[in-house]
Amino acid sequence: MVQQAMSAATRAGATNEESLHFLETIFSTPDLGVLALESKCRRFCDHYTSIAPEDRLRFLTTLSKQYGVNQEAVVQVARSVVSAQEKGETLLLMTEERLRHTLIPQYQQLFSKIGRLEGGVKFLVDMRADILTHLPGVQSEEYKAHMRILQQTIRDLLALWFSVGFLHLQRITWQSPCDMVQKISQYEAVHPIRDMTDLKRRVGSYRRCFVFTHGSMPGEPVVVLHTALTGSISSSIHSILKTPTFSGRRPETDSSSDGDVEEKEELSKISAAIFYSITSTQKGLQGVDLGNYLIKTVVKELQNEFSGITQFSSLSPIPGFKTWLIIEINKALNLKDIGEHSEELLLLSEIEELKNFLGISEESVLKTVKDLIQTHAWIQNEQICDVIKKPLMRLCARYLHREKRRGFALNPVANFHLGNGAVLWRLNWKADMSIRGINQSCGMMVNYRYYLESTEENSRKYLENQVIQTTPDFLSILAVEHAV
Amino acid sequence: MVQQAMSAATRAGATNEESLHFLETIFSTPDLGVLALESKCRRFCDHYTSIAPEDRLRFLTTLSKQYGVNQEAVVQVARSVVSAQEKGETLLLMTEERLRHTLIPQYQQLFSKIGRLEGGVKFLVDMRADILTHLPGVQSEEYKAHMRILQQTIRDLLALWFSVGFLHLQRITWQSPCDMVQKISQYEAVHPIRDMTDLKRRVGSYRRCFVFTHGSMPGEPVVVLHTALTGSISSSIHSILKTPTFSGRRPETDSSSDGDVEEKEELSKISAAIFYSITSTQKGLQGVDLGNYLIKTVVKELQNEFSGITQFSSLSPIPGFKTWLIIEINKALNLKDIGEHSEELLLLSEIEELKNFLGISEESVLKTVKDLIQTHAWIQNEQICDVIKKPLMRLCARYLHREKRRGFALNPVANFHLGNGAVLWRLNWKADMSIRGINQSCGMMVNYRYYLESTEENSRKYLENQVIQTTPDFLSILAVEHAV
Amino acid sequence: MVQQAMSAATRAGATNEESLHFLETIFSTPDLGVLALESKCRRFCDHYTSIAPEDRLRFLTTLSKQYGVNQEAVVQVARSVVSAQEKGETLLLMTEERLRHTLIPQYQQLFSKIGRLEGGVKFLVDMRADILTHLPGVQSEEYKAHMRILQQTIRDLLALWFSVGFLHLQRITWQSPCDMVQKISQYEAVHPIRDMTDLKRRVGSYRRCFVFTHGSMPGEPVVVLHTALTGSISSSIHSILKTPTFSGRRPETDSSSDGDVEEKEELSKISAAIFYSITSTQKGLQGVDLGNYLIKTVVKELQNEFSGITQFSSLSPIPGFKTWLIIEINKALNLKDIGEHSEELLLLSEIEELKNFLGISEESVLKTVKDLIQTHAWIQNEQICDVIKKPLMRLCARYLHREKRRGFALNPVANFHLGNGAVLWRLNWKADMSIRGINQSCGMMVNYRYYLESTEENSRKYLENQVIQTTPDFLSILAVEHAV
Amino acid sequence: MVQQAMSAATRAGATNEESLHFLETIFSTPDLGVLALESKCRRFCDHYTSIAPEDRLRFLTTLSKQYGVNQEAVVQVARSVVSAQEKGETLLLMTEERLRHTLIPQYQQLFSKIGRLEGGVKFLVDMRADILTHLPGVQSEEYKAHMRILQQTIRDLLALWFSVGFLHLQRITWQSPCDMVQKISQYEAVHPIRDMTDLKRRVGSYRRCFVFTHGSMPGEPVVVLHTALTGSISSSIHSILKTPTFSGRRPETDSSSDGDVEEKEELSKISAAIFYSITSTQKGLQGVDLGNYLIKTVVKELQNEFSGITQFSSLSPIPGFKTWLIIEINKALNLKDIGEHSEELLLLSEIEELKNFLGISEESVLKTVKDLIQTHAWIQNEQICDVIKKPLMRLCARYLHREKRRGFALNPVANFHLGNGAVLWRLNWKADMSIRGINQSCGMMVNYRYYLESTEENSRKYLENQVIQTTPDFLSILAVEHAV
């Protein structure tokens, strides 16, 4: 096992010279023997682990720059390739082969061997997490380029090692090891788990909690997917989690799934599977597509278990909507201040209604709306809720459907599900009235629905042409904008 | 599961055009969606499997040539690299990155996705076995070069997937699944298993049968290592396998290990572990070093279980010795025929002794020795055995110690163990008097001993400088040659 | 573990005195401490095991007589009970309680503790097997009575320990431990297993081999039930076992179940479950009803797995038919010799047909039939087969349906299935043409069919009133007898 | 599964007539068929479960009286036995056999079949728990006698079914199923578990939590034993549980076992095993000796794992000491009130010291001590603690060593360990300063030490002659009493 603990006394030198010296001992010795190689890998891991987190960047940059590719050699072989072109394909192929080898960073060999150690894959996952954390802070463009290659080299290895064939699908229940269940609890980021009863329910009746584990990281759930089995597509997280809303109302329980752990599931009550939380636990596996695979694998699993399930859908949070909205309002207010005209955030009819209801001037409507949202005051009053519902839903639909980053949906959750081939299906008002939900998205949640027969095509259309599949109902929320 | 069976009706077209056409449909369509990609991979596997074995070469060469690397693109990017050299390291690195991608064969992407399918890794292992089988028969140098790259691409993927961390060590006993035990029996190539009792003994008391299995090829033993636990380093396979010798004598049983399946092992009788058979079952994994790892892993396992084991050694066959000897004798006889002088195979003292004992002329000694060996007549007569023992052992020692291929031991078993860091320890007379043993090596076997503290160094010396570690006793067999 | 092996030197004394002395040391010492008791139990087991099998009877009779119930004490307490009758129920109950305790044999306490030892239950099973083996040979009526109580005491304990809740149903497949599969092979008594391929088929596709194991006898199949999954109720064992008949004909394979191990089962082809072999492996569990439970448990298991199975039936051997028939013929011949008239075995029409066909006198028909059966000559000639078929089937039907022992079916297999509530359904000609089958029952086999909805009622009718449920078809074979 | 839930509508009639009627349908129908019997058992269980707990007594008494033993038949057969005495042993034995059967209560047959149902054993355990709960409240002596027989009948069955061979030893760790770990937490009665961290520690490093489970009650820990692995015999529960004392002081941590879950155990630090909590979870198994077996089994297990463990000891609570002490003080005060002389609870020297320290009259010392204890005031003041320590320890030692019930130790925990053969080894001051510990035993705990070589003998001496083995140190606490 790669050792984790290390006393201060043996803490690895973090100065540049020390790093350089250590790396030299690692890379300069020949490594033909299996055991020698293994012990060298182990030393590398131990050394790295013993460096204080804040000092690791220096080590990583040194590693990436000094023990990557030999630039001169590459240029030289590249020249050979160019000149081999005219001497027949066989020679060209052989020279290319040489070039390919020259282009392999020195550290790649080491990493592929580290993957063989017990705990080695986890070490690389964690080291890549460090790189991803530090990367944005690197100033030098050159260093950044080196670090990026280092990062990609590890990602390519991990992508091969985390192939689907190597991942094990595991259902987590109350009979699963405590250790695993506790980790599920700790990792849950979307809807934090409150207590033992809550935890027990999430792995109990009318629920399916699936994880991918990996042979080289035993006992570690790599991706976690929580699913609720219901009678229809859920429009509120409260019926699933049995949580009170912020305003203290008891959830309207979906009668078909009251989630009592001990309760026997009635097949006849189950016709929908709702993915209500998906979590990737390893930062170091960022960019290695696992969530998509987990969803597809779980769909197959559920179809096998329940022939009656005909609807698959997420019930997803909309992180970033409130932040985006406030920024947009600020922009609009600023433009107005300097007398410029912006695309209106609120429709005239909405402004009219708000003005009348709140008894304020038209001028201050936008500012007031901003205040209501920022202070959460809107949820305290049922009537304000009613008035503000339409503009908020419309703006949220716009955010999800129109706001883009490099052509793809700006909202990361939307981008994930749309990339998987899901349809932007329904926006749900008062779907998550926890403080968290109100803070993120004014209490709204969205269903991305998976129509199995068209998932593949939707996915391709989105990834190739950025086409977002949606529904007439969803579009109708937006339609009014156009109508105006 | 990659489908295996296929009716003649759906047998894949094996003409060049058909292969070309099929591959075009595979490689020309975009593959952004996960399911589309998966179904494409599956189609590829099904198609390939349906091609008759004899027609696969054509498909493979087409694949390797048409969907490998884009040569022109490589040359072009290679030029960019050369010219980027002067424009700063950042640009150089980015161009290099481009070059690296250009150098990835098109089919590699496909293969790495196939590895994700259930049964996909096994498919690649089998396809590579096909390539290795066909490769020697390819005439065109250019095609050969393409095929070699194809083969190496798969090997590199398999090497990553068959990293030690992904292999599971499993001890096989009479409690193991029948299916597994039967496979162990079928794969055993070194000392074929005769019947149920023999099989039961090989996984019973005073025996350890270990295998590596791999998550993506469940139920398949990838490498198999048979070990006997004895009181001293065995000098004969008969005491381990309880087999009668060819001449019908009962084996002198090693009292400390009579291998009765039900017998309770007495720790005090166990001080040596004898590796008497190691088998790699997958041709397609050739070049992926697994046997070495299995031996080292088993050594650790045995050290944990038996603190009393102090000696680790193989008891290995010497395939090829008899063939080599006959060729050498023929060469010598031919040279003599044309009056040339060869390095003498037999020492003068040996010739003298044989001449007198057999009552033949000095001239015909070598010819007679050849006949005795070829007809196995020497084993029929105890006295001939005694006379011929010395020259045969001397020549066998020479074969093991001096005969080389590219500097390394010619004998593949010797090369394997020496590469692992073992010592060429003892040559054993009448060690395997089965027909097989007599045919391969005139009944001799050899111990390669593993001194754990120096394995690493020995391995390095052998791999770097081709230094064969041996013992004074072993050398003394050869010494007499020099003395003369 | 109860020790099995014992050198001659330590062989337990088998004289009466030695047994007496040993038993005294066991029963006379107080046994309050847990460990002391455990060590005493162990000594008892070791002692008994070390007695040579032929000397055990003496030990057992001593044990049963000396350490059973204290007769005098019983009589005395019985007297107290009689006199307590008039002194109120409370006192009566208390005296009864005392009587109950007095009636517990001394050895019962020991046995119930032995059951706690590792291997202890198996020891008692084996000891009871010894008693059952020796019992018939005991001459003295008194000793016989003591031994019977000893035997029943153990049976009562075993009946409690082998309750269904403690038995584990296990399906045996080619993935099961070799050890278990080999035992299945060794125990198979009904249709002996020929080779590895045969064995593999019996646990393969379209077959279900289930066993009960018991926690205190790990790895030991206590009862074994072999089932074939077919399209209709099988009328021949050859289609199930793929065996050639004695006359060398290839079996007509039931197309729906050709039993290839690797073959995928097609649900649509499976509508019947045929129990073709059931074996109780432990003589010492005789009288503890396990086979019945296994059949019922397997029926439930199969119903869960295959909703399409609507027919459950045995395909059973008819051991004893040929022996019974020869005895009956001999009786008839003897009666004829002394001029007496017996119930005719053959009908007049049958005699006529046989006489004509064989060209013999009416007088010698019965004798000739006997010879044909004894020499198996009838099977050599297709035409004789045809002629003899009717009388043989009729007599076999009579044997199964009319021959009784204490009111129940004489044939033990019939008695077993009828007691379970099965129906005597169909007699099958040329159903088992192996030497064994011809020898036992002139090649006939019988189906006992389980109609699940009436099993319970049939069972009760048979056990209470000896009513055998059968079918019109079966009765029609017999009907002709009456008609004459 | 025996059904648990039952709607009010189907609630079983609880009147005497209804019970009588139901039982008649159960016991009057013949039960030859297996399925009929099974369904009858199930009906019985369902019926009983549906009776409201408070109404069960009536049902149980009816059952015990009406379907126990046929008194008249017993008396009659008892008479036959008496008269058979003179007619030879064989007849006597046969009549005895008849008597034995007549003495079996009718319900025993039913119960032994219920044991075969899934959930049936648990049903009987729970029913017996009901009987034990209700028994003390039964007024009629006759009914009491019947109920006692009912209870004993079930106990005898359970004793056979809960033989050690049927119990599975299982170590509980953080890798065990959550369900099991949660039960461990809920059942812990000796030292209640506070939170997740506490729970994790109790199954973590330097701890061994073992349970017995039983095949017929899957997932249910029948007995639980918590053990701490330490460097020496612990004198305080705080070092084991890391709990703060009532007075807020941090525990002096036993350096060799700080119980961090993740911490790797160092063998060299482990030389003692401390049993600090043992819990039987099933009231219905009262009288079936399981705890003793669990301790002995765990001792063997630990000896196998840790050859370095040389000391085995409990660290046990002393429930009842404070209650006993207050009663004794009250008795003394009462006697004093009426002028009688009692055996002095406090020694003169102690009275003197207390009087001086507290500044009170000699008369009021005893009363003040009582108040201090009842109000827990003594622990608030370090000096009072010091003064009161000697008398409290002396009285507690007296309580443990001298106070008896039917000759055996009055304290149930003492009685349990002494019966197991442990030695009353050391009394520990301030060993459990939790509120609970102070309330039970003024914060004291006691070690019962298991010397393996003499456990057996100690056990016998205690059980036979009520001899309590103790140590000179322990006796010295008492010695002073005698000296005075």
Side-chain angles (χ1 to χ4, degrees), chain C residues 125-158:
Chain C
V125 168
D126 291 344
M127 190 164 90
R128 181 159 178 260
D130 286 351
I131 301 172
L132 292 173
T133 303
H134 285 304
L135 200 50
V138 175
Q139 299 298 327
S140 144
E141 273 310 309
E142 190 195 319
Y143 273 26
K144 216 162 194 158
H146 280 295
M147 286 283 274
R148 218 175 280 124
I149 293 171
L150 178 64
Q151 179 269 106
Q152 281 165 10
T153 304
I154 304 179
R155 191 203 53 203
D156 290 349
L157 284 172
L158 294 178

Side-chain angles (χ1 to χ4, degrees), chain A residues 384-483:
Chain A
I384 301 184
C385 273
D386 291 346
V387 176
I388 214 165
K389 176 180 176 182
K390 216 172 70 183
L392 279 184
M393 285 191 79
R394 189 180 47 73
L395 288 165
C396 189
R398 187 204 284 185
Y399 167 71
L400 289 170
H401 191 262
R402 301 233 194 100
E403 293 296 321
K404 300 289 166 63
R405 187 173 172 238
R406 299 187 192 161
F408 296 102
L410 171 64
N411 181 271
V413 180
N415 186 49
F416 171 74
H417 288 292
L418 295 171
N420 293 345
V423 166
L424 181 56
W425 195 69
R426 187 174 68 194
L427 188 62
N428 303 295
W429 181 247
K430 285 194 180 172
D432 178 2
M433 294 300 277
S434 68
I435 299 181
R436 189 185 174 83
I438 291 161
N439 243 324
Q440 279 190 343
S441 54
C442 303
M444 285 174 277
M445 298 187 79
V446 60
N447 299 115
Y448 301 100
R449 183 158 174 187
Y450 287 78
Y451 290 100
L452 304 184
E453 63 286 358
S454 54
T455 308
E456 196 58 24
E457 199 190 333
N458 294 341
S459 171
R460 196 179 308 130
K461 282 184 185 162
Y462 179 72
L463 294 173
E464 284 178 37
N465 309 317
Q466 287 89 44
V467 174
I468 294 180
Q469 297 292 327
T470 182
T471 60
D473 277 3
F474 193 95
L475 288 176
S476 73
I477 309 179
L478 289 166
V480 69
E481 295 199 13
H482 299 231

Side-chain angles (χ1 to χ4, degrees), chain D residues 240-289:
Chain D
I240 292 173
L241 301 184
K242 322 278 173 225
T243 45
T245 62
F246 185 74
S247 50
R249 277 188 308 166
R250 278 185 48 91
E252 322 141 40
T253 305
D254 181 336
S255 68
S256 69
S257 67
D258 74 353
D260 183 336
V261 181
E262 312 294 344
E263 192 188 357
K264 203 175 148 20
E265 292 171 351
E266 287 184 41
L267 286 187
S268 65
K269 287 184 178 171
I270 298 175
S271 60
I274 310 304
F275 309 120
Y276 68 92
S277 171
I278 181 157
T279 307
S280 291
T281 68
Q282 308 293 316
K283 186 187 172 112
L285 287 172
Q286 200 176 292
V288 178
D289 185 17

Side-chain angles (χ1 to χ4, degrees), chain A residues 32 39 46 67 103 170 200 220 253 326 411 426 452:
Chain A
L32 290 154
S39 97
D46 290 348
Y67 298 96
L103 280 166
Q170 213 177 321
K200 204 169 170 179
E220 190 68 37
T253 304
I326 298 297
N411 181 271
R426 187 174 68 194
L452 304 184

